[in-house]
Amino acid sequence: MANDLPSEFDVIVIGTGLPESIIAAACSRSGQRVLHVDSRSYYGGNWASFSFSGLLSWIKEYEESTDTLNESPAWQERILESEEAIVLSRKDRTIQHIEVFCYASQDMCEDVEETGALKKNHASVTSVNYTEASDSACLPTEDESLSTLSFEIPAEQTTSSNPESAPEGNYAEATEEKENHCSDKTCVQATSENVPTAENTGEQPRENIITYSQIVKEGRRFNIDLVSKLLYSRGLLIDLLIKSNISRYAEFKNITRILSFREGRVEQVPCSRADVFNSKQLTMVEKRMLMKFLTFCMEYEEHPEEYKGFEEITFSEYLKTQKLTPNLQYFVLHSIAMTSEATSTTLDGLKATKNFLHCLGRYGNTPFLFPLYGQGELPQCFCRMCAVFGGIYCLRHSVQCLVVDKDSRKCKAIVDQFGQRIIANHFIVEDSYFSEDTCSNIQYRQISRAVLITDRSVLKTDSDQQISILTVPESEPGTFAVRVIELCSSTMTCMKGTYLVHMTCTSSKTAREDLEPVVQKLFAPYTKKEIENEEVDKPRLLWALYFNMRDSSNISRNSYNGLSSNVYVCSGPDCHLGNDNAVKQAEALFQQICPSEDFCPPPPNPEDIVLDGDSLQPEALESDSMLHTNSETHKESPYLRSPVEPSE
Amino acid sequence: MHGRLKVKTSEEQAEAKRLEREQKLKLYLQATQAVFQKRQAGELDESVLELTSQILGANPDFATLWNCRREVIQQLETQKSPEELAALVKAELRFLESCLRVNPKSYGTWHHRCWLLSRLPEPNWAQELELCARFLEVDERNFHCWDYRRFVAAQAAVPPAEELAFTDSLITQNFSNYSSWHYRSCLLPQLHPQPDSGPHGRLPEDVLLKELELVQNAFFTDPNDQSAWFYHRWLLGRADPQDALRCVHVSRDEACLTVSFSRPLLVGSGMETLLLMIDGSPLAVEWRTPDGRNRPNHIWLCNLPTASLNDQLPQHTFRVIWTAGDAQKECVLLKGRQEGWYRDSATDEQLFRCELSVEKSTVLQSELESCKELQELEPENKWCLLTIILLMRALDPLLYEKETLQYFQTLKAVDPMRAAYLDDLRSKFLLENSVLKMEYADVRVLHLAHKDLTVLCHLEQLLLVTHLDLSHNRLQVLPPALAALRCLEVLQANDNAIESLDGVTNLPRLRELLLCNNRLQQPTALQPLASCSKLGLLHLQGNPLCQAAGISEQLAELLPLVSSILT
């Protein structure tokens, strides 16, 4: 079976995180033969999103922490005398300190199943992928494979009482559902088809009491991100999605509000013109002060006299010199600039504020977009583009080592888990794939993460479908501000009646130690009895997960031991809100690999494609005509629209 | 290479595009021609609908084709069964919507929709409102759609409160929306009708205060947004002043009666009727304007028969009745007097406060305070400065005179583009203040020298003035309206930039006219003066025309009655 894979490529990409996927798409788009592999059973690596049961499996995998040393043919046999090997790691060491807490009532029967769903698992989808990859060179989303799978799934459901035993096809199945939403022009319909099931089950008690078994049962409504990020409306990633026309593979929603947490109270931050106009909490004069300051920030570079002499001090000190009430200073510092009180300079703050304002109004009254179905969609969009242009995909396909020529010090090939040797010119490897030997000199920082399922929003308003971002400033020196993103069910990341809350900060201790104080400020643990006190006003926690993730961004390539010049390192997710790091990294590496090529240019119009015989894959053509219909009806980024709007 | 696409070159692409366009144009022209032929032949059938829909679908702004469609639909109405017609209308509505999506600002398309809807026996207005809401969501400032919405709301008798809530929601999204503010100004008076006695179009104070707060939110958020300021001005402004007869004046010498009105009107046959009663009995007279032109004017006058001015009687009573304006005034000419008059006092009636006038001055006062607060934060905001000036005038023009002038100076500096407008406005306010001062002093002499005036206005208020000093200003003309000053004896206008004297005409009492140091170029510019029969002294030193050879002779010939002309 392994022999089915071609033995020669231009570029081999190991890891399907966002930067790797962007590079894969860019290389494939400019005509390179790309092999894209991931040892995991899902796309995205640490950028992935999971259904609830998927997340439970993910947790289990790390808790078991067994080395998955299955019987692979020894790579040593595949190495020549004149060569040496860089052995890759077999174990992911990027996640630590996983802690899970369940607050929701568990008294119902223990072994509830996720409706219509299956666990992420590590069995033999590889075979499906393989046949796919070799004969169509496309993502495992073709009708053919789907029909195979859909025969199998019902059988699984009825017979299997233990969800862990479901052996097949989950990933491909889930992807298919998403792909349908994304590639189909009538996304709105597709979305709404999905919702009624949740609504119509009618099993939610009126009192809005959600039990653990309900969460498990509705587990497929969840798409839980491992990294919690948003897209700046004018950030590099949006520009790239639009430029490359990859935006058509995804749908986005505008974040609806920016919140602040001050003196124990959550309130909405007026940041757009309309917000300021409508705000009831600001006085008339404050409205003017805020607008005036923000207007200045929009073009602060043109008025250096306004901040001259303040460059050396912190932004928070600078704000005190401006005509701003303490209230407004707090908003600007923590919720708009989102900069550190203690360390950010005036220029950092002005730059961040300008960036925030610059992004306002492009797609709505806040500067951020969130991809429906979770951040994990984004790497897949790029992978899809890569596949459309001929890239070959293999999940659950690990690489044992990189083969380096002793004389030239260049990397020549990989040896995969089946012992197959595959030649290529360029090798892109995500940080987590390197062995401890390779990384022995590196001091990694850590990201602290919490994922919470709650029963109501941290700030109730008329609409229960709000997507909010809240920054809780550092409580004491040496700690870091905590970023809170609360997602509602219409983002397709959690079940109806619940909210999915992501917390992120740079680690100073373990994730739970870092984040629990903030969790306690904002939420109360779920209890069965309504206690007659103020605590009841807080949203209640149903379920919580804490973990630390390795932050491999900003690590100099020279820190890795013994890498050949044609081995390029991609970092895992960073701690920032936006995705600029990933895009910058991908573009820089792409420029090294293909120095004269355009980075992800838009695909050509099908009309302009010259057909001569068999030079073209039928899949590519089909996708391209689909693309054309889209680009005609929408001028810019067709899917960067809120799906709740009626389509015109 | 594997997977690499071959793509047409840009020349090939351009050529393909060109051919496509050529083909499109050909089809377009063919279809247009076919429609016109059929129309000429009177073949108004469904095929015309089909042809025009092809063209209008691509270019909805082809007004003639919409006319064709109307003709066809009218024709079909007489031929089709009700069911067929219903289907036709449904298709037409769908087609219209598709055209609106091509161009949401197409006059012809919106008009056609209006036309169609008003012909339907049972129009579905709810559906139309929904359509408007959808289009306004895409572009909340599409005034075509706003117009249509008002049409629909009126036809469907949508309660004003609902429409007001709709404007609320759009203003919340983006308050830079003239249409939305304007709609409020139409809906609020409907929602809160004032008792008949009160001025029309005004709001009760609680509503007014709420609106003021809303609009303040807007201009504190963005003081450069005009729409909010315009609405603010509407809130503080008042409806047109009531029609009134301001002044009646009788002169024995000239045997003439003069009337001044609150607005320009056209008196005469078929127009406004003005009745004159002398000592209780009606008298038919011929009304004319001071400048002799039969155009709407504030001032109308008539000659009186000598019998009515008989000096033997102790007094004569003149009553003027303006029937349409529901107003009348009476004045008395006493024995031994040359003239008699009656007039409304500018001070009593607050004639000059019509820019802004809310009944409660406390509201104005608090508005002035918030504007001053805003002005401190935004010293250079022209809208704020102008509003402060207007508020000050509405509160007390004389008390705030000095401050107002300072604000004018700032305003001119920050808004040099409108310097001339501001000069004129300032002139108007200064003139108003001078008239008020004159009345307080109870004199008929008006001093307007050294005031930097650029324009003369309110001249109809100066019917009784005998001495007018306009020296040392920046006036370029003495406008036709000056002819209203029927009692004027001395006019000083030295040191201006006057080029034209159109208004110095038919002034029966004018004796002295001082025009030194102006810009009179040609003797012909003095032609109007010939009609002032009492003019005896004319000073023209320092005018360009004085340089011309033989000027004295020319002037003597032009103005034979003027005894003393100094050049």
Side-chain angles (χ1 to χ4, degrees):
Chain A
M1 199 164 55
N3 295 332
D4 290 341
L5 206 59
S7 60
E8 191 182 341
F9 287 89
D10 295 310
V11 178
I12 295 176
V13 183
I14 303 172
T16 53
L18 185 58
E20 303 96 270
S21 303
I22 296 174
I23 296 173
C27 289
S28 176
R29 173 70 187 88
S30 64
Q32 306 283 321
R33 293 167 302 170
V34 176
L35 172 65
H36 199 171
V37 299
D38 196 308
S39 60
R40 300 173 180 94
S41 58
Y42 49 86
Y43 282 89
N46 280 346
W47 301 78
S49 307
F50 294 108
S51 71
F52 190 70
S53 60
L55 186 67
L56 293 182
S57 316
W58 179 85
I59 293 167
K60 200 161 187 175
E61 183 189 329
Y62 281 99
E63 278 174 344
E64 285 169 356
S65 71
T66 47
D67 253 337
T68 46
L69 270 172
N70 44 7
E71 305 309 312
S72 302
W75 52 265
Q76 285 86 350
E77 296 161 17
R78 310 288 303 171
I79 305 272
L80 304 173
E81 286 265 324
S82 61
E83 294 167 348
E84 57 188 42
I86 301 174
V87 180
L88 297 185
S89 170
R90 296 185 147 266
K91 180 172 177 267
D92 186 296
R93 294 178 310 275
T94 55
I95 305 294
Q96 294 173 48
H97 309 302
I98 294 182
E99 293 178 69
V100 180
F101 299 88
C102 181
Y103 302 95
S105 155
Q106 297 189 73
D107 21 271
M108 291 171 76
C109 58
E110 283 284 302
D111 45 353
V112 203
E113 265 182 71
E114 191 171 284
T115 38
L118 312 133
K119 304 295 172 221
K120 303 260 177 193
N121 57 76
H122 309 271
S124 55
V125 180
T126 329
S127 59
V128 180
N129 285 337
Y130 248 165
T131 27
E132 270 312 302
S134 48
D135 59 30
S136 71
C138 205
L139 281 184
T141 55
E142 299 306 300
D143 295 353
E144 202 187 340
S145 67
L146 290 173
S147 54
T148 327
L149 288 169
S150 58
F151 279 118
E152 286 170 357
I153 290 163
E156 302 292 348
Q157 278 185 302
T158 44
T159 56
S160 154
S161 60
N162 176 9
E164 284 305 304
S165 70
E168 276 268 340
N170 164 45
Y171 175 67
E173 204 273 340
T175 321
E176 179 268 337
E177 179 189 278
K178 293 173 189 173
E179 294 285 358
N180 264 359
H181 295 317
C182 309
S183 56
D184 195 327
K185 264 187 73 182
T186 57
C187 337
V188 182
Q189 281 178 350
T191 310
S192 55
E193 265 173 359
N194 213 1
V195 179
T197 15
E199 285 170 5
N200 297 340
T201 47
E203 286 172 37
Q204 277 175 36
R206 294 262 159 109
E207 301 81 21
N208 192 27
I209 294 168
I210 290 158
T211 60
Y212 184 70
S213 56
Q214 271 179 305
I215 294 177
V216 173
K217 202 164 181 184
E218 296 281 321
R220 277 177 28 103
R221 306 281 159 226
F222 290 89
N223 277 296
I224 301 168
D225 296 330
L226 295 183
V227 284
S228 172
K229 286 177 175 294
L230 297 175
L231 285 81
Y232 278 93
S233 302
R234 290 185 194 278
L236 295 178
L237 186 54
I238 290 283
D239 289 349
L240 179 62
L241 286 166
I242 293 169
K243 176 190 172 193
S244 60
N245 216 347
I246 290 171
S247 55
R248 73 185 189 279
Y249 297 138
E251 289 177 70
F252 298 86
K253 248 182 186 264
N254 221 115
I255 303 311
T256 56
R257 56 187 186 176
I258 314 285
L259 303 179
S260 82
F261 185 71
R262 191 174 177 230
E263 287 156 7
R265 258 175 358 107
V266 177
E267 50 189 349
Q268 191 169 348
V269 176
C271 50
S272 68
R273 194 164 166 271
D275 284 352
V276 174
F277 170 69
N278 293 315
S279 167
K280 298 255 186 288
Q281 73 211 51
L282 300 183
T283 66
M284 294 289 176
V285 173
E286 277 184 318
K287 290 185 176 194
R288 186 80 291 272
M289 286 173 166
L290 182 58
M291 284 300 289
K292 199 168 177 172
F293 183 74
L294 295 181
T295 313
F296 152 70
C297 288
M298 280 290 280
E299 41 194 37
Y300 74 94
E301 284 124 323
E302 290 156 40
H303 304 282
E305 70 282 357
E306 295 281 331
Y307 58 89
K308 222 174 183 177
F310 298 108
E311 285 112 321
E312 300 303 313
I313 60 171
T314 61
F315 188 48
S316 64
E317 287 297 319
Y318 171 71
L319 290 174
K320 286 178 195 154
T321 68
Q322 298 298 300
K323 275 189 200 153
L324 293 170
T325 57
N327 200 14
L328 297 179
Q329 289 172 31
Y330 187 93
F331 286 161
V332 172
L333 183 65
H334 297 297
S335 303
I336 294 178
M338 291 183 280
T339 49
S340 155
E341 186 165 357
T343 56
S344 297
T345 66
T346 301
L347 283 180
D348 289 343
L350 288 173
K351 202 172 153 197
T353 309
K354 181 183 171 170
N355 185 34
F356 181 101
L357 297 169
H358 190 58
C359 295
L360 264 183
R362 187 177 196 186
Y363 301 113
N365 273 337
T366 70
F368 306 111
L369 294 179
F370 180 78
L372 290 192
Y373 303 99
Q375 173 84 18
E377 289 295 292
L378 297 174
Q380 295 185 59
C381 293
F382 286 94
C383 291
R384 184 174 169 139
M385 181 55 123
C386 176
V388 163
F389 283 90
I392 291 181
Y393 276 80
C394 298
L395 292 181
R396 289 174 210 192
H397 196 112
S398 48
V399 174
Q400 300 194 65
C401 67
L402 306 174
V403 181
V404 178
D405 184 89
K406 277 182 185 165
D407 293 336
S408 65
R409 305 304 308 160
K410 287 259 183 190
C411 185
K412 293 160 76 175
I414 59 164
V415 177
D416 72 6
Q417 68 191 95
F418 304 104
Q420 190 189 353
R421 197 179 147 119
I422 304 167
I423 306 170
N425 299 323
H426 303 281
F427 301 84
I428 291 132
V429 185
E430 198 260 322
D431 166 87
S432 67
Y433 284 82
F434 287 115
S435 67
E436 271 165 328
D437 289 343
T438 310
C439 309
S440 61
N441 293 335
I442 299 170
Q443 273 299 104
Y444 287 106
R445 282 168 303 163
Q446 295 286 327
I447 301 169
S448 288
R449 290 273 294 114
V451 174
L452 316 172
I453 300 172
T454 68
D455 70 338
R456 64 187 101 160
S457 172
V458 289
L459 182 62
K460 262 188 146 173
T461 46
D462 302 343
S463 162
D464 63 350
Q465 293 298 310
Q466 301 273 5
I467 313 171
S468 319
I469 174 167
L470 164 67
T471 309
V472 180
E474 55 264 44
S475 53
E476 53 195 85
T479 61
F480 298 92
V482 175
R483 185 170 74 232
V484 184
I485 294 173
E486 183 187 76
L487 303 168
C488 59
S489 58
S490 64
T491 61
M492 302 305 179
T493 58
C494 57
M495 65 181 271
K496 212 163 182 284
T498 66
Y499 292 82
L500 183 62
V501 179
H502 288 284
M503 292 193 180
T504 312
C505 75
T506 306
S507 304
S508 44
K509 292 172 238 150
T510 71
R512 187 170 66 81
E513 287 163 339
D514 282 337
L515 297 171
E516 205 169 40
V518 179
V519 172
Q520 283 167 352
K521 278 182 204 165
L522 292 169
F523 305 98
Y526 174 84
T527 45
K528 258 185 261 177
K529 289 174 199 159
E530 292 272 338
I531 307 157
E532 301 268 330
N533 63 18
E534 52 180 2
E535 293 288 297
V536 176
D537 289 339
K538 291 182 181 175
R540 290 172 301 179
L541 279 178
L542 299 167
W543 188 83
L545 160 70
Y546 298 93
F547 62 92
N548 287 87
M549 184 187 283
R550 184 154 102 182
D551 178 356
S552 53
S553 65
N554 290 328
I555 292 189
S556 157
R557 192 184 173 285
N558 300 330
S559 313
Y560 295 89
N561 298 325
L563 294 188
S564 308
S565 63
N566 60 342
V567 174
Y568 309 88
V569 183
C570 279
S571 69
D574 61 348
C575 196
H576 291 120
L577 176 58
N579 294 282
D580 283 10
N581 241 341
V583 180
K584 271 185 203 154
Q585 192 176 35
E587 184 162 11
L589 294 182
F590 173 76
Q591 298 303 348
Q592 289 177 39
I593 297 165
C594 308
S596 55
E597 291 284 337
D598 195 5
F599 181 57
C600 287
N605 275 338
E607 284 174 1
D608 297 334
I609 295 173
V610 182
L611 300 171
D612 53 9
D614 47 21
S615 72
L616 212 64
Q617 310 270 340
E619 285 79 21
L621 249 189
E622 195 185 304
S623 312
D624 277 325
S625 57
M626 184 176 72
L627 165 165
H628 178 62
T629 41
N630 285 342
S631 62
E632 259 200 346
T633 41
H634 305 282
K635 290 233 167 57
E636 191 185 54
S637 69
Y639 291 109
L640 292 173
R641 307 186 57 212
S642 143
V644 289
E645 278 176 27
S647 59
E648 287 163 62
Chain B
M1 199 193 264
H2 160 86
R4 174 152 261 186
L5 294 172
K6 281 188 190 164
V7 174
K8 285 181 193 163
T9 62
S10 53
E11 291 89 58
E12 285 170 325
Q13 278 181 37
E15 178 61 15
K17 271 251 161 64
R18 196 186 63 75
L19 286 173
E20 198 187 305
R21 287 172 62 110
E22 221 164 64
Q23 190 62 23
K24 244 177 160 175
L25 180 67
K26 216 166 113 188
L27 288 173
Y28 186 92
L29 291 175
Q30 275 171 358
T32 312
Q33 210 155 27
V35 171
F36 287 158
Q37 276 165 4
K38 277 183 182 277
R39 191 188 193 192
Q40 211 141 37
E43 293 172 36
L44 295 171
D45 52 21
E46 272 119 327
S47 70
V48 176
L49 287 184
E50 176 54 33
L51 281 168
T52 52
S53 69
Q54 283 170 18
I55 305 168
L56 289 167
N59 172 23
D61 289 311
F62 202 151
T64 312
L65 296 191
W66 288 115
N67 285 336
C68 289
R69 281 182 93 85
R70 280 193 278 277
E71 287 165 15
V72 175
I73 290 171
Q74 276 170 323
Q75 180 89 17
L76 293 178
E77 273 171 0
T78 61
Q79 301 164 351
K80 298 273 178 181
S81 72
E83 292 78 36
E84 286 170 323
L85 270 178
L88 185 78
V89 165
K90 217 171 152 190
E92 188 72 358
L93 287 173
R94 231 187 353 256
F95 173 64
L96 277 163
E97 194 176 330
S98 71
C99 290
L100 287 174
R101 257 180 264 141
V102 175
N103 179 7
K105 295 191 173 177
S106 158
Y107 282 95
T109 318
W110 287 108
H111 176 70
H112 191 72
R113 204 169 175 100
C114 278
W115 177 84
L116 189 66
L117 261 294
S118 33
R119 287 181 81 79
L120 297 184
E122 285 168 352
N124 184 350
W125 295 119
Q127 185 187 306
E128 297 306 296
L129 283 173
E130 198 262 333
L131 174 107
C132 291
R134 245 180 314 125
F135 274 88
L136 288 174
E137 193 168 335
V138 176
D139 176 3
E140 72 270 18
R141 300 196 274 198
N142 182 348
F143 66 84
H144 300 261
C145 185
W146 275 106
D147 268 345
Y148 185 66
R149 188 180 180 97
R150 283 193 291 272
F151 163 78
V152 172
Q155 296 294 316
V158 179
E162 277 175 30
E163 288 296 282
L164 191 72
F166 181 74
T167 68
D168 270 340
S169 74
L170 284 182
I171 286 173
T172 306
Q173 283 164 32
N174 177 5
F175 62 84
S176 301
N177 192 330
Y178 281 101
S179 305
S180 210
W181 291 115
H182 167 71
Y183 201 12
R184 290 183 89 77
S185 73
C186 301
L187 293 166
L188 284 168
Q190 284 180 45
L191 261 178
H192 306 283
Q194 287 287 80
D196 287 341
S197 55
H200 295 289
R202 299 310 317 150
L203 302 178
E205 194 174 345
D206 56 328
V207 179
L208 183 68
L209 288 174
K210 249 175 85 185
E211 290 301 299
L212 283 171
E213 194 192 331
L214 184 70
V215 79
Q216 267 184 26
N217 271 319
F219 61 66
F220 269 86
T221 303
D222 185 355
N224 291 317
D225 185 77
Q226 302 181 30
S227 61
W229 288 109
F230 278 118
Y231 186 62
H232 186 245
R233 197 147 164 190
W234 175 79
L235 285 173
L236 296 179
R238 69 171 175 200
D240 289 335
Q242 291 210 304
D243 282 344
L245 241 161
R246 292 250 187 263
C247 180
V248 179
H249 175 262
V250 181
S251 161
R252 198 187 296 275
D253 250 11
E254 289 114 34
C256 174
L257 181 133
T258 314
V259 189
S260 119
F261 297 92
S262 57
R263 64 175 167 91
L265 51 116
L266 196 53
V267 176
S269 54
M271 309 294 169
E272 306 279 355
T273 325
L274 216 50
L275 300 178
L276 177 62
M277 311 273 282
I278 301 178
D279 299 326
S281 45
L283 184 74
V285 288
E286 193 90 356
W287 294 99
R288 59 187 159 86
T289 60
D291 55 12
R293 292 190 299 177
N294 199 24
R295 301 271 291 277
N297 205 313
H298 280 97
I299 307 281
W300 287 85
L301 47 96
C302 65
N303 294 331
L304 297 172
T306 31
S308 63
L309 299 167
N310 186 347
D311 207 7
Q312 305 306 311
L313 293 171
Q315 65 172 56
H316 289 286
T317 312
F318 300 85
R319 177 184 291 270
V320 179
I321 303 161
W322 176 19
T323 41
D326 198 18
Q328 49 176 300
K329 280 270 146 48
E330 196 175 76
C331 84
V332 173
L333 182 62
L334 294 172
K335 181 177 176 184
R337 294 290 184 85
Q338 274 306 308
E339 55 187 355
W341 67 82
Y342 179 89
R343 71 150 176 211
D344 290 336
S345 161
T347 50
D348 292 347
E349 292 290 310
Q350 305 195 335
L351 284 185
F352 302 135
R353 299 197 191 183
C354 40
E355 298 297 332
L356 299 176
S357 176
V358 171
E359 285 59 44
K360 292 264 194 285
S361 66
T362 49
V363 174
L364 292 178
Q365 196 72 51
S366 78
E367 282 306 294
L368 180 60
E369 268 146 37
S370 12
C371 282
K372 279 184 157 175
E373 199 169 36
L374 178 59
Q375 204 254 333
E376 251 169 62
L377 295 164
E378 296 291 321
E380 306 220 315
N381 184 275
K382 59 177 182 175
W383 297 100
C384 186
L385 285 163
L386 184 62
T387 307
I388 289 178
I389 292 171
L390 296 177
L391 283 165
M392 285 180 161
R393 287 209 61 75
L395 278 162
D396 192 332
L398 293 180
L399 180 70
Y400 289 111
E401 184 175 74
K402 224 169 149 185
E403 255 183 283
T404 311
L405 290 177
Q406 276 164 2
Y407 279 118
F408 261 118
Q409 214 155 21
T410 322
L411 187 51
K412 252 177 85 172
V414 300
D415 192 13
M417 297 278 280
R418 276 156 207 83
Y421 164 76
L422 293 170
D423 280 338
D424 288 359
L425 193 64
R426 184 179 161 281
S427 300
K428 181 175 155 201
F429 291 163
L430 279 173
L431 211 143
E432 290 172 355
N433 285 2
S434 301
V435 171
L436 290 174
K437 285 180 200 161
M438 175 183 74
E439 287 200 8
Y440 282 122
D442 200 18
V443 291
R444 296 173 72 181
V445 178
L446 187 57
H447 292 286
L448 292 170
H450 292 285
K451 290 205 185 289
D452 238 1
L453 300 185
T454 52
V455 74
L456 293 174
C457 49
H458 291 311
L459 290 168
E460 73 281 358
Q461 299 287 335
L462 308 181
L463 185 55
L464 303 177
V465 168
T466 57
H467 290 73
L468 179 60
D469 186 358
L470 297 172
S471 307
H472 293 280
N473 281 303
R474 292 196 280 142
L475 298 173
Q476 289 175 312
V477 292
L478 294 177
L482 194 78
L485 278 69
R486 301 289 295 168
C487 303
L488 192 63
E489 292 168 21
V490 176
L491 175 57
Q492 289 165 277
N494 294 330
D495 299 291
N496 276 289
I498 296 168
E499 291 167 6
S500 138
L501 299 172
D502 289 346
V504 194
T505 175
N506 291 316
L507 295 175
R509 298 187 187 175
L510 187 66
R511 288 185 282 107
E512 289 180 27
L513 179 56
L514 310 183
L515 286 168
C516 302
N517 303 322
N518 276 297
R519 296 206 188 137
L520 295 165
Q521 307 280 352
Q522 301 294 331
T524 47
L526 302 176
Q527 181 68 54
L529 305 186
S531 61
C532 301
S533 53
K534 292 242 171 82
L535 187 61
L537 183 65
L538 179 60
H539 286 200
L540 290 171
Q541 301 97 315
N543 277 294
L545 59 74
C546 300
Q547 311 296 323
I551 185 70
S552 308
E553 291 74 25
Q554 284 184 49
L555 288 175
E557 196 178 324
L558 192 69
L559 305 168
L561 299 174
V562 184
S563 52
S564 171
I565 301 180
L566 300 181
T567 56

